Amino acid sequence: MKIPFVTFKPLERELDRELREAFVRVFDNSWYIEGEEGTRFEEEYAAYCGTKYCIGCGNGLDALFLILKAYGIGAGDEVIVPSNTFIASVLAVSRTGATPVLVEPDIGTYLIAPELIEEKITGRTKAIMPVHLYGQTADMDVIMDIAGRHHLHVIEDAAQAHGARYKGRRAGALGDAAGFSFYPGKNLGALGDAGCVTTNDPELASRVRAFSNYGSDYKYHHIYQGYNTRLDELQAAFLRAKLPLLDQMNEDRRRIADRYLHEIKNDRLILPYVGQNNEHVWHIFAVRAKRRDRLAEYLREQGIGTNIHYPIPIHKQEAYCGQGLGTSGLPIAELISDTEISIPMYYGMGEEVDYVIDCLNRWHG
């Protein structure tokens, strides 16, 4: 059996009519930027997340950058970021001229360890950016408490957590603001690049919208030296077609994850852990193994696609070499990078789940 790491085919078959109608609607309207589809999607996604505002933009990196920029964070400032995350989290900070400060994760959840945050706070710290990695939220009550005591902003990197809940509240409504990516492989994915910012802060929302549109508050009037990063009408229309199915898609991922968690019986594998108070949406099902590369080769031979999230930790990336990000030592991030392997997880998996479980149970290392 051949099983890809991810495929969009089951979802595309189910939403074929809706996606085609979305395209035709935009095409017939002949309005491709800042139109009704974008406005409607922003309203619908804000309502879904439980926030007052949603501002569309070009991608998830831009979303995080726009929030930092709107808060006035820049050269001389520091932003706390987990040490194991996709590089976009850190790039957003660097792009403002601020310095990312890496904090190690909890080895069980892979999420930033709240108990390690406070020791990294200095007089230059302006924000904490917890990343809701792999589909579950960070321990936000503790993080918000730390931020409150130190007068810091909390910016959620929610790029992998569409629909995830913490104590009943959705990702995107847990901090001061959140950045989302709608890259095609996300739980809620566009058919190209797209992103958004969610917040309950009207002033921040206004600044983010202006910065995303050439620094303009109305046509040909520019209050900031801004950027061009907007959610186009086609992607907004596609996202609107998918959004009503998001909870169903996430529930299907939980069905698959539940089977993996209960039916994979191999002491050579470390299965993921769901943190307390979390409703995981399983963007990634991350397994760890000491002989990860052997496992990847074995699964490839069985026809099973895998991925590694992420093979090189940020502080060892060439882009950040010599910048002192890992001078205090980041062994947990390195351990995860050396042992993590992601197995197939996508909407509509059926007998494929049986095959993956069987192959993993038969692996002897």
Side-chain angles (χ1 to χ4, degrees):
M1 181 180 289
K2 290 285 188 181
I3 302 176
F5 172 66
V6 66
T7 179
F8 310 132
K9 292 301 182 184
L11 176 62
E12 289 169 350
R13 284 194 295 269
E14 190 162 339
L15 287 177
D16 181 84
R17 178 176 58 82
E18 290 85 350
L19 291 170
R20 292 178 187 277
E21 288 176 352
F23 171 80
V24 170
R25 197 165 63 241
V26 173
F27 187 75
D28 286 350
N29 198 34
S30 297
W31 193 283
Y32 303 109
I33 299 288
E34 293 193 297
E36 182 181 355
E37 296 291 341
T39 299
R40 294 284 299 278
F41 173 72
E42 289 177 346
E43 293 170 350
E44 291 161 6
Y45 197 64
Y48 177 83
C49 291
T51 60
K52 293 179 182 178
Y53 306 100
C54 170
I55 305 95
C57 62
N59 54 69
L61 170 57
D62 285 355
L64 296 172
F65 169 72
L66 289 168
I67 297 168
L68 293 162
K69 190 73 178 177
Y71 276 135
I73 293 171
D77 297 331
E78 295 176 349
V79 177
I80 289 174
V81 187
S83 59
N84 67 312
T85 180
F86 182 55
I87 198 170
S89 310
V90 174
L91 287 175
V93 177
S94 300
R95 192 167 158 189
T96 68
T99 300
V101 176
L102 302 184
V103 171
E104 287 274 71
D106 177 275
I107 192 59
T109 64
Y110 312 135
L111 303 169
I112 191 169
E115 67 274 12
L116 301 179
I117 291 175
E118 213 149 6
E119 65 189 48
K120 295 294 184 77
I121 295 173
T122 72
R124 296 182 296 277
T125 308
K126 294 296 186 292
I128 304 170
M129 186 187 290
V131 178
H132 303 325
L133 198 68
Y134 301 156
Q136 68 172 325
T137 62
D139 194 348
M140 291 301 292
D141 280 359
V142 179
I143 292 170
M144 293 300 290
D145 179 66
I146 293 169
R149 286 189 279 108
H150 292 274
H151 309 290
L152 305 175
H153 301 296
V154 176
I155 301 165
E156 301 170 68
D157 182 339
Q160 299 184 8
H162 311 74
R165 285 189 175 98
Y166 174 83
K167 295 185 176 181
R169 297 169 59 210
R170 291 196 195 275
L174 302 171
D176 297 311
F180 284 90
S181 166
F182 300 119
Y183 179 78
K186 304 298 186 185
N187 289 35
L188 180 62
L191 272 64
D193 268 325
C196 81
V197 171
T198 58
T199 185
N200 286 314
D201 182 342
E203 292 184 10
L204 179 72
S206 178
R207 289 195 294 270
V208 166
R209 190 174 298 282
F211 271 119
S212 71
N213 187 29
Y214 300 99
S216 174
D217 54 349
Y218 60 88
K219 196 172 181 68
Y220 300 134
H221 183 260
H222 304 271
I223 52 178
Y224 307 117
Q225 295 180 22
Y227 310 89
N228 174 21
T229 173
R230 298 170 295 188
L231 176 62
D232 71 69
E233 287 289 277
L234 261 180
Q235 299 307 333
F238 292 142
L239 289 167
R240 290 188 65 209
K242 289 185 173 186
L243 181 57
L245 200 63
L246 178 55
D247 284 343
Q248 178 181 324
M249 291 189 288
N250 285 341
E251 188 58 39
D252 193 52
R253 288 174 177 267
R254 279 190 285 272
R255 171 189 63 84
I256 298 163
D258 188 65
R259 290 202 58 197
Y260 282 159
L261 290 170
H262 289 92
E263 297 179 40
I264 295 173
K265 306 289 185 182
N266 189 328
D267 59 11
R268 293 172 177 82
L269 305 177
I270 300 172
L271 300 181
Y273 171 76
V274 181
Q276 192 175 11
N277 303 312
N278 265 297
E279 188 174 306
H280 207 312
V281 293
W282 299 103
H283 173 60
I284 298 294
F285 194 94
V287 173
R288 288 198 298 117
K290 288 182 179 179
R291 297 179 177 180
R292 186 266 311 282
D293 294 342
R294 289 190 185 183
L295 176 57
E297 177 62 20
Y298 164 77
L299 291 175
R300 186 191 66 78
E301 291 171 352
Q302 307 308 308
I304 297 172
T306 62
N307 206 337
I308 297 172
H309 296 90
Y310 300 94
I312 305 173
I314 291 167
H315 66 285
K316 289 192 169 184
Q317 292 284 354
E318 187 175 348
Y320 283 99
C321 281
Q323 297 190 28
L325 293 190
T327 52
S328 60
L330 298 167
I332 299 177
E334 292 177 16
L335 175 63
I336 294 170
S337 290
D338 289 342
T339 57
E340 191 276 344
I341 181 169
S342 305
I343 63 175
M345 168 61 72
Y346 53 86
Y347 177 70
M349 291 182 73
E351 62 181 5
E352 297 92 343
V353 180
D354 300 322
Y355 184 69
V356 172
I357 292 170
D358 179 62
C359 289
L360 286 171
N361 285 339
R362 286 189 288 108
W363 182 63
H364 299 300

